[in-house]
Amino acid sequence: MTGERDLALQAKAWPFEEARKLVARFAKAPPAKGYVLFETGYGPSGLPHLGTFGEVARTSMVRHAFQTMSDIPTKLFCFSDDMDGLRKVPDNIPNKEMVAANLGKPLTRVPDPFGTHDSFGAHNNARLRAFLDSFGFEYEFQSSTDWYKSGRFDEALLGILRHYDEVMAVMLPTLGAERQATYSPFLPISPSTGRVLQVPMLERNVDAGTIVFEDEDGKKVELPVTGGHVKLQWKPDWGMRWFGLGVDYEMYGKDLIPSAELAGKICKILGGTPPEGFNYELFLDDKGQKISKSKGNGLTMEEWLAYAPQESLALYMFQKPKSAKRLYFDVIPRAVDEYLTFVDKVHGEEPAKKLENPAWHIHNGKPPAVRSDVSFNLLLNLAGAANAETKDTMWGFIRRYAPDATPENSPFLDSMVGYAVRYYQDQVKPTKRFRAPTDAERAALQDLLAKLDSLPADARADVIQNEVFEVGKAHGFTELRAWFQALYEVLLGQTTGPRMGSFIQLYGIDETKALIRNKLAA
C-alpha cells in the first residue's frame, strides 16, 4: 500500500489531483469530526437522472483516490433537499389534483401520489436510494427534513440569525430591486397552511432565536428559526449546510459557480471553511445545445443504460469532466469499446500507469477481467449483417469466432450482445442506406469473392484482412479508405464500419460471400 500511496501522490489523473487538495487541507491535522466529508446534493421533486449519476460517480472516484493517499476515514453524504416547497405538479405522476392541493408545502408534507410512502418526498428519496444502490455506490443518505427537525442544524441557523445583516449584504447585490424589497434568507413554514413562505421579516429577536412575519391569514406570527419551523433559501442553505455538516469536498456544474461562491461566503460568515470544490462542464446534444429536461433534447440515463453497460457511462463521466461533451446515441458504441480497451490494458500495466487508467477509477482500484476480443462495434455490424433480433442468433456466430466463449463464462460479453441487438434494431437499422457498387467496385468485389473462395473456413482475421487490403490495392484504390468505405456502404449500408478481417471471421467466410453475391445481384 505504501508503494501505491507514493504513486498516487504523484499521479496525474484528475481524481488524484482533486484528492491532493484534501491531503493539503489536512496536512497539519485531521478534521475534528474524525472523517473527511464528501457531499452531493439532490432535489427530490423529480427522479434521479444522468447528472445525479455523474456527480455521485465522480465524487466517489475522488473519494477513492483520497483513500489511496490517506488513512483518514471518509464519508459520502447524499443529501436530499426534501424540505423544499413543491413548486409545480410533475407531469409523470398519478393523483395530480391531490398533489396540486399541496403546492408550496415541503415535499415531506405532500401526500405520496403513488400511495407507497408517507410523503412525496419520502417516495422520491426511496427512488434515489434505489437508484444509487443499483450502481453499488457507497454512501450515507441524509434528509434535509431530518436535519432541520432534529435540531442538528440549530446552531448554524442561529448563526444565520446572528449574522443576518452580513448574510443579506452577500445576497442582496445578486437580486433585482423588487426582490430585494422582500428578500429574507429565512423561509418560515406557515402554521396556518403548512406552506413554505417567501415573506419579508418584520422583526428578528436574536436573544430568543425567533423571527416575526405576516402569515397567509394576515396574522403576525413569531416562530423560532430552529427545530424545523423555518428553512433557508437555497443559496444560504447551501452555505449553512457546508458549515453545519462540516463538508470538505463537493463538486457542482459550471452553471452553479456563482451560487457556490455565495455559499462559500456565507459558510465563512458562520465561521466555517468552505469545502474544496470542483466544477464540471455541462452536457450538450448533437447540435451543441445544452441538454435540458424540459426540452427533452440529448440522451437520458434510461436510454444510455438500455443500450450499454453502466461501466461505459462511468467512463464517459470520467473522461474530461472540465470539457463540454456531446451526449447523444452515437457516442455510446465508442464509449463501450473504449471501456473494453482500458479494462483489458490495465491488467498488464505497470503500477504507476494503472493509476492513470480510467478502469482503475471506475472500479475503485479493482478492475475485473472481462473478455475484450469482441468489440461492441463488431457486434453491431454482426447484428446488422445477420439482421439479428435475438442474442441466440448472435451467439451462433460468436461461438465460431471464439469457441471457448459462452454466455455463462463470459457474462459481460453476453450483456454486450444483448445491448448490441437492441441498439442495432432501434438506432442503426432505421438509418441504413445501402447503395449499388460502381463498376470499379463491382470488379473489386468479384475479385474479393475469389480471394475468399481460396481461404479455409477457419482463416484468421489478420489473414483475411490482408486479402481485403490486397484486393483494394490491385484495383487502383490509391486511398484504401475509399475501398473500405465502399465495402461498408455496399455491404452494410453505413459510412463507417469494423475491421473487415475481424468482421468476416466473426460473420463467417461463407456468409460473407453470400452477402457479397446478394449485393452484386441486387
Side-chain angles (χ1 to χ4, degrees):
M1 183 67 181
T2 302
E4 186 176 53
R5 176 163 298 173
D6 291 339
L7 293 173
L9 289 167
Q10 303 298 321
K12 295 178 181 178
W14 70 263
F16 287 119
E17 291 180 348
E18 289 301 299
R20 280 194 287 272
K21 296 178 184 177
L22 292 165
V23 171
R25 183 181 177 101
F26 299 112
K28 294 183 179 179
K33 60 184 179 292
Y35 55 88
V36 173
L37 179 58
F38 296 79
E39 187 198 28
T40 64
Y42 167 68
S45 57
L47 297 176
H49 51 80
L50 204 63
T52 311
F53 173 84
E55 199 162 295
V56 179
R58 287 167 171 162
T59 302
S60 297
M61 291 172 188
V62 177
R63 181 188 182 192
H64 179 250
F66 177 75
Q67 289 170 332
T68 308
M69 298 177 176
S70 173
D71 293 324
I72 301 175
T74 65
K75 291 186 179 184
L76 169 59
F77 281 3
C78 291
F79 196 96
S80 170
D81 291 308
D82 56 13
M83 241 184 114
D84 287 357
L86 181 64
R87 291 186 292 273
K88 65 177 183 178
V89 179
D91 295 329
N92 57 346
I93 62 168
N95 298 312
K96 290 185 175 66
E97 298 82 5
M98 178 186 71
V99 173
N102 289 274
L103 281 174
K105 292 182 180 179
L107 285 155
T108 44
R109 293 193 186 182
V110 176
D112 179 15
F114 297 91
T116 57
H117 293 78
D118 293 339
S119 67
F120 191 28
H123 175 93
N124 285 345
N125 286 340
R127 295 288 296 271
L128 170 66
R129 292 197 298 273
F131 175 86
L132 298 176
D133 291 344
S134 70
F135 296 107
F137 290 123
E138 181 186 337
Y139 70 97
E140 295 179 29
F141 175 78
Q142 303 293 335
S143 157
S144 178
T145 299
D146 291 345
W147 276 81
Y148 271 99
K149 286 191 169 185
S150 69
R152 286 179 287 175
F153 276 158
D154 283 359
E155 179 186 348
L157 292 165
L158 290 170
I160 295 287
L161 185 60
R162 284 194 303 272
H163 298 284
Y164 188 91
D165 292 334
E166 294 170 72
V167 173
M168 291 289 278
V170 169
M171 294 304 304
L172 290 180
T174 69
L175 306 172
E178 184 177 348
R179 189 77 183 93
Q180 287 181 359
T182 60
Y183 182 83
S184 167
F186 291 109
L187 300 175
I189 312 297
S190 168
S192 60
T193 66
R195 286 194 281 262
V196 180
L197 305 181
Q198 296 205 39
V199 292
M201 296 298 99
L202 303 178
E203 300 173 32
R204 305 189 310 275
N205 189 330
V206 175
D207 291 336
T210 61
I211 54 173
V212 178
F213 62 96
E214 183 177 299
D215 199 359
E216 290 188 288
D217 59 6
K219 294 179 181 177
K220 195 175 178 180
V221 175
E222 182 173 12
L223 282 181
V225 299
T226 55
H229 294 94
V230 308
K231 74 173 299 293
L232 295 181
Q233 299 268 10
W234 85 266
K235 292 173 187 176
D237 182 270
W238 201 9
M240 180 277 295
R241 187 197 308 168
W242 283 351
F243 170 76
L245 299 177
V247 177
D248 297 304
Y249 187 89
E250 181 162 2
M251 58 176 61
Y252 39 84
K254 181 181 177 181
D255 55 331
L256 293 183
I257 292 175
S259 301
E261 291 172 349
L262 294 177
K265 291 178 181 178
I266 291 170
C267 181
K268 288 180 180 178
I269 288 171
L270 294 173
T273 302
E276 302 302 322
F278 177 81
N279 58 82
Y280 50 84
E281 263 289 0
L282 307 178
F283 298 121
L284 308 175
D285 64 13
D286 57 343
K287 297 179 178 62
Q289 300 298 310
K290 178 184 171 183
I291 286 179
S292 165
K293 285 191 292 182
S294 60
K295 291 181 182 177
N297 60 335
L299 195 62
T300 68
M301 181 89 184
E302 293 75 19
E303 287 170 332
W304 185 298
L305 295 178
Y307 299 118
Q310 68 183 54
E311 292 87 350
S312 63
L313 181 56
L315 173 63
Y316 189 82
M317 295 299 175
F318 175 88
Q319 293 174 314
K320 299 180 180 179
K322 288 268 189 183
S323 299
K325 294 189 291 186
R326 299 194 179 196
L327 184 63
Y328 55 103
F329 285 106
D330 288 359
V331 308
I332 292 178
R334 176 183 291 182
V336 177
D337 282 339
E338 286 181 344
Y339 168 75
L340 288 173
T341 298
F342 285 124
V343 79
D344 177 58
K345 185 189 298 183
V346 71
H347 296 288
E349 289 179 321
E350 59 186 53
K353 286 190 175 181
K354 283 185 179 183
L355 300 189
E356 308 295 345
N357 189 314
W360 189 93
H361 297 272
I362 292 168
H363 295 287
N364 288 333
K366 298 178 181 177
V370 299
R371 187 158 197 141
S372 60
D373 55 335
V374 183
S375 71
F376 192 65
N377 189 42
L378 195 57
L379 290 173
L380 285 177
N381 286 287
L382 173 62
N387 197 21
E389 296 183 354
T390 66
K391 290 200 296 183
D392 288 343
T393 301
M394 298 281 282
W395 272 104
F397 293 97
I398 294 169
R399 286 189 183 96
R400 291 188 307 192
Y401 180 81
D404 60 324
T406 67
E408 292 74 28
N409 68 22
S410 303
F412 190 83
L413 173 58
D414 185 53
S415 71
M416 284 210 309
V417 171
Y419 290 128
V421 170
R422 189 178 302 129
Y423 189 94
Y424 168 74
Q425 290 291 336
D426 294 352
Q427 301 299 324
V428 178
K429 187 175 180 179
T431 66
K432 275 187 173 291
R433 296 291 183 272
F434 293 94
R435 70 168 176 83
T438 64
D439 290 343
E441 291 165 354
R442 178 179 292 275
L445 284 168
Q446 289 170 335
D447 194 8
L448 180 58
L449 265 178
K451 294 289 186 183
L452 293 177
D453 271 332
S454 68
L455 291 176
D458 60 351
R460 298 192 318 272
D462 57 335
V463 174
I464 301 171
Q465 183 76 5
N466 185 61
E467 294 290 356
V468 178
F469 264 113
E470 292 303 319
V471 169
K473 287 190 287 186
H475 285 264
F477 288 93
T478 53
E479 287 286 338
L480 283 175
R481 181 183 301 175
W483 166 230
F484 283 103
Q485 184 166 341
L487 291 173
Y488 301 146
E489 291 174 353
V490 173
L491 302 181
L492 302 178
Q494 56 202 51
T495 57
T496 60
R499 186 175 174 84
M500 288 305 296
S502 298
F503 169 74
I504 293 171
Q505 184 186 9
L506 177 60
Y507 186 46
I509 289 178
D510 287 343
E511 286 78 5
T512 304
K513 290 190 295 185
L515 179 64
I516 294 172
R517 290 191 184 101
N518 177 269
K519 298 304 178 184
L520 289 175

